[in-house]
Every structure is written in structure tokens, then in C-alpha cells.
Amino acid sequence: QVQLTESGGGLVQPGGSLRLSCAASGNIVTVNYMGWHRQAPGKERELVARVTSRGDIKYADSVEGRFAISRDKAKNTVDLQMNDLKPEDTAVYYCDANIYYWSTGSVSYWGEGTQVTVSS
């Protein structure tokens, strides 16, 4: 089992910045990727950013150029630096990790989520 612990959410004014952090602990064998999703009220959960074990990064079009994802492979952490935040970035942000096990294949884990609110 793997636990994902998120931190860094909060209330920020439009144009401001926040940094989200996520730490993975537990039975971690091989990490395929780690990343962040978000879910706004009344909307489906969507990918925000993801970084693979090789360092390949994918961003949602809506955050490209404003958000930056980074990962510390030794510590099994992933951070999301969010700049120039907009009201439409308001959502619950979830950390996710995809772990490979010889016995079961790839398994996805999710954090409990952290609220980000962008409002004046």
C-alpha cells in the first residue's frame, strides 16, 4: 500500500502563486509517474500535470506556461508550482502516483486532495 500526503493548498488572489507538495510513502517499488489532477465543483476530474520516471512532462493546455511540476525521485515527492493563478483554477487538487509491481502490474494511488481557491 502507498500513501500520498498533500500540502500547500489555500486561498490566493488572482495573479498570485501557490506551491503544492505531495510525498509518497509505503510500498514503493517502481514509480511509473506522479502528477496532479484537479476537480472543480460540477466538473470532471482533469489532469493538470504529470511527470514520468524518465522525466517526460505533460501539462494541461489551460496551465501550460503558468504551472511547473517537479519531482524528487530519491524522496518520492512531486511539487506543483502554480503562478498567475486565475479564478478558473479553483478546485480540489489531487496528487496521484502510478506504481509498478511485479506481482500485480501497475497500480494507481490518489491523495485525499487539497483545496485551492483563487478569489479576490
Side-chain angles (χ1 to χ4, degrees):
Q1 192 70 300
V2 172
Q3 294 78 40
L4 300 179
T5 304
E6 301 137 328
S7 61
L11 173 64
V12 64
Q13 293 185 344
S17 299
L18 280 177
R19 188 176 183 88
L20 304 182
S21 296
C22 174
S25 61
N27 185 21
I28 299 169
V29 181
T30 302
V31 177
N32 290 325
Y33 59 79
M34 293 184 73
W36 293 89
H37 283 66
R38 68 186 181 187
Q39 187 167 19
K43 295 187 177 181
E44 294 187 353
R45 190 174 297 189
E46 63 174 356
L47 174 69
V48 176
R50 172 177 291 166
V51 55
T52 72
S53 59
R54 298 190 311 175
D56 298 324
I57 292 175
K58 177 179 175 66
Y59 292 104
D61 291 343
S62 59
V63 307
E64 185 84 51
R66 299 187 297 121
F67 291 11
I69 190 170
S70 59
R71 183 185 160 198
D72 187 324
K73 295 177 69 173
K75 297 180 179 179
N76 287 317
T77 60
V78 63
D79 291 351
L80 185 68
Q81 177 65 42
M82 305 184 294
N83 300 323
D84 189 23
L85 282 159
K86 303 176 181 182
E88 51 264 41
D89 294 317
T90 295
V92 178
Y93 284 69
Y94 297 90
C95 174
D96 72 295
N98 187 271
I99 312 295
Y100 178 78
Y101 301 95
W102 278 104
S103 58
T104 58
S106 296
V107 179
S108 289
Y109 296 93
W110 293 85
E112 293 185 351
T114 184
Q115 177 70 45
V116 172
T117 302
V118 185
S119 175
S120 55

